[in-house]
Amino acid sequence: MTAPLTPPHQPPPHDPDRPPPPPPTLGPDGDPITAAEVLQGLLVTLVSAIAGAVLGVLWLNLAPRVLLISDGKGVYLRNSEGEAAIGADGTFVLLALAFGAVAALVVFLARRKGGVPLVLGLALGGVLGSLLAWGLGTYFGPTSDVVAHAKAVGPDVAFEAPLELNLAAAAMLAWPLAAMIVHLALTALFGPRDPEPEPWDQPKAYTQGPGRS
């Protein structure tokens, strides 16, 4: 006589009525957002926005100047083939990229776990910081009233044009994009790993040798 391969009180391995396996344990990324994380994101936004003042000062001092000249009737570029206007945009973008990368590194070192509020704080803070830098640079730079400035210095005397961003929309995105990309890369490479879910124990089929007749 042969014993059954499956114990009487255990369902067969491929029983369609068998309940599904338990869901895996959620890691840190699956946890709900806490109030502390929201406050941390707001702090990152505030600090990044304030850091925009430093970016504005650096841009004001490092950006190349566009020189104008007046003949008493009109105002013209002193060097029509110069690339100073493009250089002002490039200087701002390079500085903004550096600020975004440094902000992402500091946030990652301060809180390796990451989180959605921190990423949003980096992005929003980068935009606000870029806007503040743009405003400070143009406000404290040469006056935007070119005609009055030309009259003040007199004809045939070179003077600086207002500090401007010709590609302002793209320049405003340099900081937040750099911050999010660098933070994502650091988190992927060096961030904490979620624990592996425990494997679902599959039922084992018990076999028994042929019984004695």
Side-chain angles (χ1 to χ4, degrees):
M1 180 175 181
T2 303
L5 298 180
T6 305
H9 300 293
Q10 186 171 0
H14 302 290
D15 188 356
D17 297 331
R18 186 178 186 176
T25 304
L26 295 177
D29 293 337
D31 297 336
I33 297 175
T34 63
E37 292 176 335
V38 174
L39 290 177
Q40 291 171 357
L42 293 176
L43 179 62
V44 170
T45 302
L46 179 61
V47 174
S48 297
I50 295 175
V54 180
L55 173 59
V57 173
L58 291 175
W59 180 50
L60 179 62
N61 288 277
L62 298 178
R65 295 292 190 264
V66 178
L67 295 180
L68 304 176
I69 194 168
S70 173
D71 61 358
K73 298 180 180 179
V75 179
Y76 310 94
L77 289 172
R78 183 179 181 182
N79 183 7
S80 59
E81 298 180 357
E83 299 179 354
I86 300 177
D89 286 53
T91 302
F92 188 97
V93 170
L94 290 177
L95 289 172
L97 291 174
F99 270 67
V102 171
L105 177 60
V106 171
V107 169
F108 175 77
L109 294 177
R111 195 172 188 277
R112 291 177 178 269
K113 183 180 177 181
V116 175
L118 290 178
V119 176
L120 293 178
L122 284 172
L124 181 58
V127 173
L128 295 177
S130 298
L131 290 173
L132 178 60
W134 183 20
L136 289 177
T138 54
Y139 180 80
F140 290 103
T143 177
S144 58
D145 193 345
V146 176
V147 176
H149 197 177
K151 292 180 179 179
V153 299
D156 300 326
V157 177
F159 61 95
E160 295 179 354
L163 190 59
E164 297 177 346
L165 283 177
N166 297 312
L167 301 175
M172 294 300 105
L173 296 177
W175 182 335
L177 286 179
M180 289 188 294
I181 291 174
V182 172
H183 187 270
L184 178 62
L186 292 174
T187 303
L189 293 175
F190 307 107
R193 299 292 187 265
D194 294 342
E196 294 292 336
E198 297 182 359
W200 182 44
D201 294 331
Q202 297 287 345
K204 299 180 180 179
Y206 295 91
T207 59
Q208 183 177 355
R212 298 178 180 178
S213 55

